[in-house]
Amino acid sequence: MTLPFSPYREIVDIAMRFAPGDGEFRTSIGNLHISRRSNPSDPLHSSYKPCFAFVLQGAKSLRLGDEFISYGTGDYLLTSLDLPVAWRIAEASPEVPHLCLGLAIDSEKLLELLSRIDIPRPAAHTDGQRGMTVNVAPPELLDAAVRLLRLLDRPGEIPAMAPLIEQEILYRILTGPDGERLINIATADSQSNRIARAVAWLKENFARPLRIEELAEHVSMSASSFHHHFKSVTAMTPMQYQKQLRLHEARRLMLVERLDAGTAGHRVGYQSPSQFSREYSRLYGASPSRDVDGAREVMAAAE
């Protein structure tokens, strides 16, 4: 197909106008946001939800478990379930900032689309693939992304046109090289779907003691199969996944609610303050107090 002249120039121009400074910017299209960063960064920890993240400029890298993923201009990251990661901006400058558009994937819209289109069920051996992958965006996907961002300048058209273009983007992903990952997550009797249900349970109950046999039974799997498939999809064991959830929440409690380390650690399920401090330092590279003090200084400077 024929794309408009210089599609990247156009999409970057639009993104720069609607993300006028560094940070994450929500748009008038509900599940679309634009990220802009003007400098490379140190690793930052967060959880990625199911989304399509398309890099328009610059480059980014992240760590999922013990794996490293890099992606840059023209690449899109597909995340098919909630995953805790450490990410950093790898290439950016004030003149050429890192720009990325993110489109959240709505599970109900995904299931509704799958009910209306004829996409072959993935082969059994593809079940249990990583819940995160990178691909080069084909021209059709880039074209749809350009048309979606153009709507930001025509807000009156958003209610009618945005759902159609979002559906097109989802269709392009589903029929692309890694669409089977999304299909497996959405398919009720697949192992990946069971792992997604386990992840949802862990997010709601991360402060509770983790008993693998009980969680495996909750999602109708044997303990050995559950452990194997959980690591295949998330690149972490269930215990490692729970630990990251706990530490991310403890950090939020200290930064936002200003709890002390001991209280925050206990709130997320740690019985031993020394174990909490040790595991926190291993993840964030500093003790809870030093890390939080440093983060507050950075936040104050940004203000």
Side-chain angles (χ1 to χ4, degrees):
M1 65 183 296
T2 302
L3 288 168
F5 176 73
S6 300
Y8 277 100
R9 179 179 300 175
E10 179 181 5
I11 200 171
V12 164
D13 287 345
I14 298 172
M16 293 277 277
R17 285 192 288 107
F18 286 90
D22 282 5
E24 303 282 335
F25 294 85
R26 294 180 179 274
T27 72
S28 49
I29 299 172
N31 56 346
L32 176 72
H33 72 271
I34 301 170
S35 172
R36 175 173 174 169
R37 296 288 189 279
S38 298
N39 296 286
S41 70
D42 293 328
L44 298 169
H45 295 263
S46 63
S47 290
Y48 278 23
K49 297 183 181 298
C51 72
F52 157 73
F54 184 20
V55 178
L56 314 179
Q57 214 170 242
K60 193 173 185 178
S61 66
L62 59 84
R63 189 181 78 242
L64 174 66
D66 293 326
E67 296 182 0
F68 290 87
I69 299 172
S70 298
Y71 53 113
T73 303
D75 295 332
Y76 71 91
L77 177 78
L78 175 62
T79 305
S80 55
L81 76 167
D82 290 16
L83 293 169
V85 300
W87 60 270
R88 71 179 186 89
I89 301 301
E91 292 180 15
S93 69
E95 297 76 23
V96 186
H98 175 271
L99 288 169
C100 180
L101 67 85
L103 186 68
I105 294 176
D106 184 293
S107 59
E108 292 185 3
K109 292 180 181 178
L110 173 63
L111 289 170
E112 195 275 333
L113 178 59
L114 284 171
S115 72
R116 293 189 289 105
I117 59 178
D118 183 21
I119 297 181
R121 172 72 181 271
H125 72 270
T126 64
D127 198 5
Q129 293 176 316
R130 284 283 186 269
M132 183 174 280
T133 185
V134 170
N135 283 290
V136 176
E140 296 83 359
L141 193 52
L142 171 58
D143 178 58
V146 172
R147 286 185 280 112
L148 185 64
L149 257 68
R150 284 179 187 153
L151 292 179
L152 297 178
D153 286 318
R154 301 194 292 271
E157 298 182 10
I158 288 174
M161 300 304 299
L164 300 178
I165 301 175
E166 290 174 36
Q167 180 175 267
E168 179 184 349
I169 288 173
L170 196 54
Y171 174 78
R172 299 298 179 192
I173 295 170
L174 285 169
T175 56
D178 284 305
E180 60 194 18
R181 299 174 192 244
L182 274 184
I183 297 172
N184 277 326
I185 289 290
T187 303
D189 61 346
S190 71
Q191 303 285 31
S192 294
N193 180 268
R194 294 187 176 100
I195 298 306
R197 285 158 47 201
V199 162
W201 187 93
L202 282 168
K203 288 192 66 182
E204 291 293 325
N205 301 278
F206 61 81
R208 294 175 54 179
L210 176 58
R211 296 179 176 86
I212 298 297
E213 293 78 10
E214 291 181 8
L215 183 51
E217 183 178 358
H218 177 72
V219 295
S220 303
M221 298 177 73
S222 69
S224 59
S225 178
F226 171 70
H227 197 279
H228 169 73
H229 281 91
F230 192 99
K231 190 165 186 179
S232 293
V233 172
T234 69
M236 287 168 270
T237 66
M239 192 71 72
Q240 290 170 332
Y241 189 100
Q242 181 200 47
K243 185 184 298 182
Q244 292 213 27
L245 291 179
R246 285 180 165 184
L247 294 173
H248 287 183
E249 173 62 8
R251 190 173 194 263
R252 187 195 69 80
L253 290 171
M254 289 185 288
L255 278 172
V256 178
E257 300 189 19
R258 295 189 171 271
L259 298 186
D260 61 84
T263 303
H266 188 267
R267 180 82 62 86
V268 301
Y270 281 92
Q271 302 303 314
S272 166
S274 61
Q275 181 185 5
F276 169 67
S277 180
R278 183 168 59 252
E279 293 186 353
Y280 189 101
S281 300
R282 189 176 299 127
L283 181 64
Y284 290 107
S287 68
S289 58
R290 287 185 57 192
D291 173 63
V292 170
D293 287 346
R296 285 178 180 153
E297 289 177 4
V298 171
M299 292 166 63
E303 294 173 355

